[in-house]
Amino acid sequence: MSLTRSLIDVRPLRTSPVFRRLLIGRTVSVLGSFMTMVTVMYQVWDMTHSAAWSGAVGLAQALPLVGFGLFAGAWVDRADRRRIFLTATVGQAACSALLAVQGFTGHVPVAAVLALVAAQSSFGALGAPAAGVFVPRLLPKDQVAAGLALNQITGQSMMLLGPALAGVLLGWLGIGTCYLLDTLSFALSFYGAFGLPSLPPAGEPSRAGLHGVLDGLRFLAGHRVVRGALITDLAATVLSFPASLFPLVNAERFGDHPRTLGLFLSAMAVGGIGATALSGSVTRLARPGRVMLCGAAAWGAALVLFGMSTDPWTCLGLLVVAGAADALSVVSRSTIVQTRTPDALLGRVTAAETIVGQAGPSLGNVRGGLVAGWTSSATALISGGLLCLLAVAAVGATTPELRDRATPQPDVP
């Protein structure tokens, strides 16, 4: 297989100017969002010097997503997705502008800062399921996986660049300027989506309120392939997510050196970017189920070996492997969800996928911390990786459709 074919598939950038413009706006907006995340954490700590208030930042970001996400998905499946996304983008920009104002003026209670963070997260919970329908509606079916891989690699790149850039700008230009730059980044996101065509649901619109949410949950419970994809993601995150264990591993084995800890935190992102950059041969395959299962299994196996290793370079290499496996698994999972879900339900299913993607790592960090507190970091890592392998094997054994060569057309709900 040629190197060109192994590199990330960029056909969506050539064939769809609308997708290209949308991707540029999304990339800049994600960069601004990661800058704001670091800036909020810095500001709250500077105001309170309290770990409890710093932890409350995560709650302010997560609770609106969990509490509002499914209802937002039902709304998205009733209306024009383009208009909803533009509305959500304006709302997020307004929250960033208010954060910038308080950053320049100062003397704002920390609770008010967290309220603005929660409001911005609520708008994000509305925009995410709307954006989730863009790729399958804008691209031919055989390019959906490539489009999702492009989203993945740009997002992970901004995950690396955003915090570092925020650290530089905070010391140079201050809190208010960082928030202001995030506000401006939403302008590009708005521009990228403004040129989209109208995107109403293709099929029967969602019922209003709780009825629409329940319809979406019934689809998830009854659709073996989509359900298996989300369960696989939960197995990889809830059972084995390792980030909360890195400080303990670093202290137990590597002298508690901050440089080692920083490398641990970056290694998985580096692996994810590298794997996605070389994902062309994978996304061209019509086997997203197999790739997802193999990726999740490789993630669990790498973490088992990480828990057994005492050499820092070996540990870093295993984390790079884990990050690469996770990236391919995520792209394949999203491909399954977006190609197997009827368009009329895609907003709700994307909302559920977003909640799983956000809540799973948080719960996994809690699990790892509790197990390590009772035993050791090695036990937490090895047991989590083995549980992940068992869960993935169970999903693969009970869902033979995930092993099919081709991804069938969306099923009728």
Side-chain angles (χ1 to χ4, degrees):
M1 183 175 293
S2 67
L3 177 61
T4 302
R5 190 169 178 82
S6 297
L7 294 175
I8 189 169
D9 187 353
V10 296
R11 284 180 298 163
L13 298 178
R14 295 196 301 265
T15 60
S16 177
V18 176
F19 173 81
R20 184 169 63 244
R21 187 167 59 246
L22 189 69
L23 181 67
I24 293 172
R26 176 187 180 274
T27 301
V28 176
S29 179
V30 169
L31 174 64
S33 296
F34 277 111
M35 289 176 58
T36 287
M37 179 185 70
V38 173
T39 305
V40 168
M41 293 179 66
Y42 174 83
Q43 182 182 7
V44 169
W45 175 258
D46 186 59
M47 294 170 70
T48 65
H49 293 283
S50 165
W53 278 111
S54 296
V57 173
L59 286 177
Q61 293 169 331
L63 289 179
L65 179 66
V66 174
F68 181 55
L70 290 177
F71 290 94
W75 185 15
V76 164
D77 285 338
R78 287 175 56 83
D80 178 10
R81 282 76 175 263
R82 169 186 174 274
R83 183 174 299 176
I84 290 177
F85 181 80
L86 292 175
T87 301
T89 301
V90 171
Q92 289 177 287
C95 292
S96 285
L98 291 174
L99 284 169
V101 170
Q102 65 83 31
F104 284 122
T105 59
H107 309 296
V108 175
V110 65
V113 176
L114 294 182
L116 288 173
V117 171
Q120 189 174 57
S121 181
S122 298
F123 283 113
L126 178 62
V133 309
F134 291 163
V135 172
R137 291 285 292 268
L138 294 175
L139 297 177
K141 192 177 184 63
D142 64 337
Q143 294 183 25
V144 168
L148 295 172
L150 289 167
N151 278 343
Q152 175 86 351
I153 192 171
T154 54
Q156 288 181 322
S157 299
M158 295 307 102
M159 186 188 304
L160 281 178
L161 178 60
L165 185 59
V168 173
L169 294 179
L170 278 170
W172 183 28
L173 300 174
I175 291 172
T177 301
C178 287
Y179 289 134
L180 182 60
L181 290 174
D182 186 29
T183 306
L184 297 176
S185 76
F186 284 111
L188 271 179
S189 181
F190 186 93
Y191 168 75
F194 189 77
L196 293 174
S198 177
L199 294 172
E204 183 179 353
S206 167
R207 294 193 291 173
L210 184 60
H211 294 294
V213 172
L214 293 176
D215 289 340
L217 293 176
R218 276 192 288 269
F219 172 81
L220 287 174
H223 197 292
R224 289 161 54 87
V225 175
V226 176
R227 183 183 66 217
L230 296 186
I231 290 175
T232 301
D233 186 64
L234 286 173
T237 54
V238 174
L239 297 179
S240 57
F241 200 74
S244 65
L245 299 172
F246 288 164
L248 182 58
V249 171
N250 190 41
E252 288 178 346
R253 306 182 198 175
F254 308 117
D256 203 20
H257 198 289
R259 183 181 304 168
T260 310
L261 179 61
L263 291 174
F264 282 167
L265 293 170
S266 301
M268 288 197 297
V270 170
I273 292 173
T276 312
L278 297 172
S279 64
S281 58
V282 173
T283 56
R284 288 184 175 92
L285 291 174
R287 298 182 179 181
R290 292 189 183 185
V291 174
M292 179 192 68
L293 292 172
C294 292
W299 158 272
L303 292 178
V304 170
L305 295 174
F306 174 67
M308 299 168 60
S309 178
T310 57
D311 176 68
W313 291 108
T314 302
C315 287
L316 287 174
L318 289 168
L319 289 177
V320 170
V321 171
D326 180 62
L328 295 179
S329 181
V330 168
V331 170
S332 301
R333 183 202 72 216
S334 296
T335 302
I336 292 168
V337 169
Q338 296 200 9
T339 57
R340 291 299 300 259
T341 303
D343 185 80
L345 285 159
L346 193 52
R348 281 162 285 181
V349 175
T350 300
E353 184 187 17
T354 303
I355 292 172
V356 167
Q358 294 284 340
S362 298
L363 293 174
N365 280 330
V366 172
R367 183 215 66 89
L370 290 175
V371 175
W374 294 330
T375 56
S376 67
S377 63
T379 302
L381 286 164
I382 294 171
S383 63
L386 290 175
L387 287 172
C388 173
L389 286 169
L390 289 173
V392 171
V395 171
T398 58
T399 317
E401 298 90 340
L402 286 173
R403 305 193 300 270
D404 289 345
R405 174 174 176 78
T407 300
Q409 294 293 324
D411 297 322
V412 178

